[in-house]
Amino acid sequence: MIDSSQEVKKIIAFDLDGTLAESKQSLGLEMAELLAQLATRAKVVVISGGSFEQFKKQFLPFWKGPVNDLVMLPVDGSQCYEYEAEIGEWQLVDEQLFREDLKRKTIVALKDLIASHRYDIPPEHQIFGDYIEDRGSQITFSAYGQKAPIEVKEMWDSDQKKRLAIKAELEPLLPDIEIVIGGTTSIDFLSKGFNKATGLKRLLDRYELKVSDMLFVGDAVFPGGNDYSPSQVGIESVKIAGPQDTAEIIKKILSKKSVAFFCAEYGIQGLPLYAGGLGMLAEDFVREVGDQGIPFSAIGLFYNQRTEASSEELRSENRISLINHNFRLLRLANGEPMIVNVDVADSTICLQVWQRIHGSSRLYLLDTDTEKNSGDIQRILSSLYGSDISINILQQLLLGIGGVKLLRTLDIHPTVYHLNEGHTSFVALALFAEYIHDHPEMSLRAAVQMMKQHIVASKHTILSVAGINFSRDRLRGIVKHYFNRHRIDFEEFFLLGARQENPEMFSTTKFMLGSASRANGVSALHVEFEKKVHPHSLLIPITNGVYLPRWRTPGWPTLSLEDIDDYELWKTRMTLRTNLVAYIDSQTGVKLNPNTLIIVWARRFASYKRPEMLFSDLGRLAQIVEKADGPVHFIISGKAHKDDKEGQATVARIKEYVSRPEFLGKIVYVPEYSINVAKELVLGADVWLNTPIPGFEACGTSGMKAALNGALQCSTKDGWVGEVDWSGLGWILDDEHISTDIYDTIENKIVPIFYERDASGIPRNWISRIRGTVGLTEERYTATRMVKDYINKLYFPNQQ
């Protein structure tokens, strides 16, 4: 049986007859409900010797989960059916054909067997339907016919002895055919070498998964049984005695602790869903959790860029990009899009739901851009973090209230609700309202105390004005109808988030932290600075990490660091630098020297990050870039929010700096900063430069991404950098004298080590620093470590 402490597999496959339902009987109500819940944890696959027509009668009418999460493999997996939303039908997407000559040979052998009157095969007038059924890619023999009542079938060969004898007799006559026992009276005949394992492995190959990613459950897991082959190829298989056993297995899987994760942004390339590091981290988090097999539902909003000025083509491009990232509209069993209705303000807003599956994680994006909404409602999600405060409130209400309602629609009841930054605080409001609805005698304060044990939170900045702040009147005007419906006193609620220094303003971050049982900052130094500003803070440190498969170059040596010699490591770094130079040329027309040290500053243009620090002494900078025996190239890139006038002005000034004659061809600004640009920069940089005011950079994960590819760190002591002793690895800038120390460090410490080469042309000291930096980052700053820390320290701290 299943160990409920183990991870949830990415695919859970079931035999149909005898496993999910009695032979040829309809799926039971309890099983249908359990499978629908299971589909929120893993992809559900049903495989059977029966034809697709049998699935349509026996299984599909009773399926209650989203069709996105179901795959059907009729005829022992020699056919594969998936739901095609564009045409609203189930489509045959893969098929292994059974040669016609082999079919004829099989049918002749079976007719001879039937005519022999051996094995107690009843005469034709006593059977229900036909003995032999041609299912296209399989021939199936049934001693009493496929339509026989179950009680009749069970009398003939309950111990499989007759069918095992038939199998043994026919195998020498049919050497090119696979013969397997299934159901209660059936024997299946397929192409040699094809069995359920073949069908399941073909499916795994289509999804680019391993056999270890699948669990198979069947009633005929015994030698000769048609459920036996999956275990023979390494797929973890569980033998059950009937549907009741299967129900218990599903219940055990569902009993595993699960997490719902809410974030206002997700860093997915090509989609307008993120503003900066918060979104990058959220996407890395979702991917890593899915790899680790943790039941995980992530919820966000699909910002659709639907404005008066935007074109239909732009919106279509966003949809295409979404689909290309393996998102699909969540659809009901009848094929219609799932709609979640949210009553906020004085409107009912309809949300359609996009879903992407990555391992055990599900990312759901709520979308207002449906014809069921008016044009004004559709435009609520036109953009992320817009300047209209009322729209911001509505967006956050949709994320919180709509997200919780989606979970309930999917029958998901997480153990933990993780609120990632103050934008998600209304998740707590929705949970409190739900609790009050179920317990009418409860006050809001009592509901908070009961529900906060299930809520945890992450704060990503120490600023007192973190998150969004709403005025009392503005917030009341939007939430009053919702509060009236749920009998919540607005003034009692407002006190939970009222800012101490300005009681007329509501802080989403204060409300979030007050609603959570545990909360974390995102580096040790972040929490240290937090407690200097907020002495009563209870934040615990969980330092961010980055998802290695996403950010490390595919060209990185596959050997362990200890097994890579200096030459190979330096060769890899030279290749990455050359690739970056070519990329810069393609994007800007600036031709850098691939043999020159490249220092990169790239991130969001926020004032505390001091993007202009490098240009504080233009004369000194000119000397550094022009030095004949140790030149330096600088690459600058970043972005500012469209409503950030100061940030936009910074961009304009930096463009002006790099256009000066002394910097042409030596310092380059890369416009249109995006995930693709960031990837190119973190792969090719020799040094990653970071200049934040200490105490303001909560973590700074871009440096980790560069470090995974061999870039050395040069930074003020802030975020993750402040946790590390960089002696012999990187360089910490003196913040009190940063305007001069940034040049002194580059010119007198970094440049000499980079250009110091031995007789073979290899910078041994530099390579030693690369080894130490990469090893440190792999050990301490990947998402693998980060997610484990969240599980052990934030989600389930008392259960280790």
Side-chain angles (χ1 to χ4, degrees):
M1 298 298 279
I2 293 296
D3 178 358
S4 61
S5 66
Q6 293 179 342
E7 67 179 31
V8 174
K9 300 288 188 177
K10 297 174 183 178
I11 293 180
I12 302 181
F14 299 90
D15 171 50
L16 179 53
D17 280 339
T19 301
L20 293 178
E22 299 294 349
S23 179
K24 300 301 177 290
Q25 303 302 301
S26 299
L27 196 68
L29 177 62
E30 181 191 27
M31 186 66 74
E33 292 176 345
L34 288 172
L35 287 173
Q37 293 180 55
L38 184 63
T40 67
R41 302 284 187 90
K43 178 78 78 174
V44 171
V45 172
V46 181
I47 186 169
S48 171
S51 65
F52 182 62
E53 290 302 313
Q54 185 64 38
F55 273 76
K56 289 166 67 175
K57 297 174 185 175
Q58 184 180 0
F59 182 83
L60 269 181
F62 310 96
W63 173 255
K64 292 190 171 186
V67 289
N68 312 59
D69 297 322
L70 173 66
V71 177
M72 291 180 292
L73 301 177
V75 203
D76 282 331
S78 55
Q79 295 178 348
C80 177
Y81 281 82
E82 294 181 349
Y83 190 80
E84 180 53 61
E86 291 186 3
I87 62 174
E89 294 179 359
W90 288 92
Q91 285 288 297
L92 177 65
V93 297
D94 187 28
E95 184 174 23
Q96 172 71 33
L97 295 177
F98 192 6
R99 280 170 32 201
E100 290 299 323
D101 62 318
L102 295 180
K103 282 187 183 180
R104 289 192 295 270
K105 193 174 180 180
T106 301
I107 292 171
V108 168
L110 286 172
K111 286 183 176 179
D112 289 345
L113 181 78
I114 295 166
S116 72
H117 302 295
R118 290 180 288 116
Y119 302 108
D120 297 325
I121 298 173
E124 191 168 2
H125 68 274
Q126 293 182 10
I127 69 171
F128 301 80
D130 298 322
Y131 291 113
I132 302 170
E133 184 178 354
D134 183 347
R135 295 174 175 172
S137 51
Q138 173 181 299
I139 298 294
T140 295
F141 164 77
S142 302
Y144 271 87
Q146 286 291 323
K147 300 177 182 178
I150 184 64
E151 59 271 16
V152 173
K153 289 184 176 184
E154 289 177 343
M155 292 172 54
W156 180 65
D157 187 32
S158 59
D159 56 6
Q160 294 98 31
K161 288 183 178 179
K162 293 175 184 175
R163 282 173 293 163
L164 285 170
I166 292 173
K167 172 181 165 71
E169 178 180 331
L170 294 182
E171 278 180 335
L173 303 176
L174 304 171
D176 298 324
I177 293 169
E178 193 78 31
I179 305 175
V180 290
I181 296 169
T184 50
T185 64
S186 298
I187 305 176
D188 298 327
F189 299 80
L190 305 95
S191 296
K192 189 67 176 179
F194 201 96
N195 48 37
K196 286 186 178 178
T198 314
L200 292 173
K201 286 196 71 176
R202 284 170 72 101
L203 183 69
L204 286 169
D205 290 341
R206 289 186 66 237
Y207 289 159
E208 298 182 352
L209 296 174
K210 308 180 291 295
V211 293
S212 59
D213 293 321
M214 177 180 283
L215 174 72
F216 174 70
V217 182
D219 65 308
V221 182
F222 54 80
N226 70 348
D227 293 335
Y228 188 61
S229 59
S231 65
Q232 299 300 99
V233 298
I235 296 173
E236 184 180 348
S237 301
V238 179
K239 184 183 185 306
I240 50 86
Q244 192 54 49
D245 279 359
T246 304
E248 291 305 312
I249 285 175
I250 297 175
K251 289 175 184 177
K252 278 199 171 184
I253 295 173
L254 293 175
S255 71
K256 281 182 64 68
K257 294 178 173 64
S258 63
V259 177
F261 176 85
F262 293 80
C263 191
E265 54 177 283
Y266 293 89
I268 302 172
Q269 176 62 30
L271 291 171
L273 304 179
Y274 67 99
L278 179 68
M280 295 294 103
L281 182 73
E283 173 67 1
D284 280 9
F285 200 91
V286 170
R287 295 189 191 196
E288 180 63 39
V289 167
D291 286 350
Q292 292 195 26
I294 301 158
F296 193 82
S297 303
I299 298 176
L301 300 173
F302 179 44
Y303 305 99
N304 51 54
Q305 292 189 0
R306 179 167 185 162
T307 65
E308 295 292 351
S310 68
S311 65
E312 190 68 32
E313 288 78 10
L314 177 60
R315 292 170 55 214
S316 298
E317 286 177 8
N318 287 340
R319 288 292 194 271
I320 292 170
S321 181
L322 197 69
I323 292 170
N324 288 342
H325 285 90
N326 298 315
F327 281 89
R328 295 290 182 271
L329 272 179
L330 209 57
R331 295 179 181 274
L332 302 172
N334 63 5
E336 291 296 313
M338 176 180 288
I339 296 293
V340 176
N341 294 318
V342 179
D343 295 322
V344 295
D346 55 355
S347 304
T348 297
I349 297 175
C350 300
L351 300 170
Q352 58 186 4
V353 185
W354 296 91
Q355 179 199 52
R356 186 196 68 197
I357 299 173
H358 182 93
S360 62
S361 70
R362 303 289 192 272
L363 173 56
Y364 301 102
L365 300 178
L366 307 175
D367 183 10
T368 57
D369 197 1
T370 167
E371 293 179 355
K372 294 182 179 293
N373 293 322
S374 67
D376 288 343
I377 297 298
Q378 290 176 357
R379 285 187 286 273
I380 288 174
L381 297 180
S382 292
S383 62
L384 169 65
Y385 305 149
S387 57
D388 188 321
I389 295 298
S390 295
I391 294 296
N392 275 328
I393 297 174
L394 277 173
Q395 288 182 351
Q396 294 184 31
L397 286 168
L398 291 181
L399 176 59
I401 299 170
V404 171
K405 191 165 185 180
L406 170 64
L407 292 175
R408 300 302 178 258
T409 302
L410 295 172
D411 204 10
I412 299 175
H413 300 271
T415 316
V416 170
Y417 297 83
H418 182 179
L419 280 52
N420 200 37
E421 262 298 357
H423 316 95
T424 66
S425 68
F426 290 136
V427 173
L429 170 63
L431 293 174
F432 300 154
E434 182 181 66
Y435 191 84
I436 291 171
H437 180 272
D438 295 338
H439 304 83
E441 75 285 357
M442 285 286 185
S443 66
L444 175 60
R445 188 164 297 277
V448 171
Q449 294 306 312
M450 292 302 296
M451 286 305 300
K452 72 183 303 178
Q453 61 184 313
H454 298 289
I455 300 173
V456 299
S458 295
K459 191 180 184 208
H460 293 259
T461 175
I462 69 166
L463 300 178
S464 297
V465 293
I468 305 294
N469 293 269
F470 304 129
S471 70
R472 182 189 300 270
D473 291 341
R474 184 75 66 102
L475 182 59
R476 188 204 307 270
I478 293 176
V479 302
K480 61 183 179 182
H481 295 291
Y482 179 80
F483 278 37
N484 288 340
R485 280 193 298 274
H486 293 279
R487 298 179 296 101
I488 296 174
D489 180 86
F490 176 80
E491 292 302 327
E492 185 181 6
F493 166 77
F494 194 85
L495 285 174
L496 298 175
R499 293 181 58 187
Q500 186 173 357
E501 63 273 27
N502 186 353
E504 291 302 306
M505 296 297 292
F506 181 90
S507 165
T508 56
T509 298
K510 181 181 178 183
F511 175 56
M512 175 188 75
L513 294 176
S515 301
S517 57
R518 295 175 297 281
N520 74 287
V522 291
S523 72
L525 206 58
H526 172 208
V527 171
E528 182 181 322
F529 278 109
E530 169 78 20
K531 291 182 178 180
K532 288 180 181 178
V533 178
H534 308 291
H536 301 295
S537 170
L538 297 177
L539 293 186
I540 62 172
I542 299 179
T543 304
N544 290 339
V546 295
Y547 186 61
L548 190 150
R550 185 184 188 196
W551 297 107
R552 170 166 281 174
T553 174
W556 192 259
T558 56
L559 297 174
S560 66
L561 214 57
E562 294 77 14
D563 297 327
I564 305 170
D565 62 32
D566 285 358
Y567 172 77
E568 286 299 321
L569 201 51
W570 184 236
K571 181 181 176 182
T572 298
R573 284 299 314 149
M574 289 193 296
T575 299
L576 292 176
R577 190 185 319 108
T578 300
N579 292 343
L580 176 57
V581 166
Y583 175 78
I584 295 300
D585 184 13
S586 70
Q587 298 299 304
T588 67
V590 177
K591 299 183 184 300
L592 302 176
N593 185 340
N595 297 313
T596 295
L597 170 67
I598 294 179
I599 300 177
V600 175
W601 189 104
R603 55 192 35 83
R604 184 167 53 88
F605 280 131
S607 59
Y608 75 84
K609 294 177 184 285
R610 299 187 290 197
E612 295 179 81
M613 181 54 64
L614 182 64
F615 302 96
S616 58
D617 186 336
L618 298 179
R620 185 82 186 274
L621 182 59
Q623 292 175 9
I624 291 173
V625 300
E626 293 173 354
K627 195 171 183 179
D629 59 346
V632 181
H633 289 326
F634 290 94
I635 299 174
I636 314 297
S637 189
K639 66 186 299 184
H641 193 277
K642 61 184 178 63
D643 296 322
D644 180 2
K645 293 182 179 179
E646 182 181 354
Q648 296 294 340
T650 300
V651 173
R653 287 192 296 272
I654 287 178
K655 287 181 178 178
E656 184 179 336
Y657 293 142
V658 301
S659 66
R660 293 169 66 99
E662 63 267 36
F663 297 140
L664 291 177
K666 300 177 179 68
I667 304 178
V668 58
Y669 171 76
V670 182
E672 304 300 327
Y673 188 61
S674 66
I675 296 175
N676 273 349
V677 173
K679 281 186 175 179
E680 297 289 343
L681 299 182
V682 300
L683 297 188
D686 291 306
V687 174
W688 199 257
L689 180 63
N690 196 17
T691 54
I693 300 171
F696 285 77
E697 182 82 282
C699 188
T701 54
S702 61
M704 300 174 187
K705 297 163 189 172
L708 281 174
N709 296 283
L712 305 186
Q713 303 297 302
C714 179
S715 174
T716 53
K717 189 175 182 180
D718 204 9
W720 77 286
V721 172
E723 300 177 3
V724 177
D725 178 1
W726 292 100
S727 303
L729 298 177
W731 302 271
I732 295 295
L733 297 172
D734 180 354
D735 189 66
E736 291 187 7
H737 305 95
I738 188 171
S739 61
T740 56
D741 193 48
I742 189 172
Y743 303 118
D744 291 341
T745 299
I746 292 171
E747 188 172 23
N748 302 324
K749 299 178 181 178
I750 297 176
V751 169
I753 296 175
F754 181 83
Y755 287 106
E756 178 188 9
R757 309 294 165 90
D758 66 5
S760 61
I762 296 177
R764 300 289 179 180
N765 191 335
W766 193 270
I767 293 296
S768 175
R769 290 169 180 261
I770 289 176
R771 287 184 184 279
T773 298
V774 172
L776 167 79
T777 310
E778 287 179 341
E779 179 183 0
R780 293 169 53 183
Y781 296 106
T782 67
T784 301
R785 187 276 310 154
M786 173 181 66
V787 167
K788 288 179 179 177
D789 278 355
Y790 270 91
I791 294 169
N792 298 331
K793 297 178 181 180
L794 195 71
Y795 296 164
F796 314 114
N798 301 317
Q799 299 174 32
Q800 300 307 310

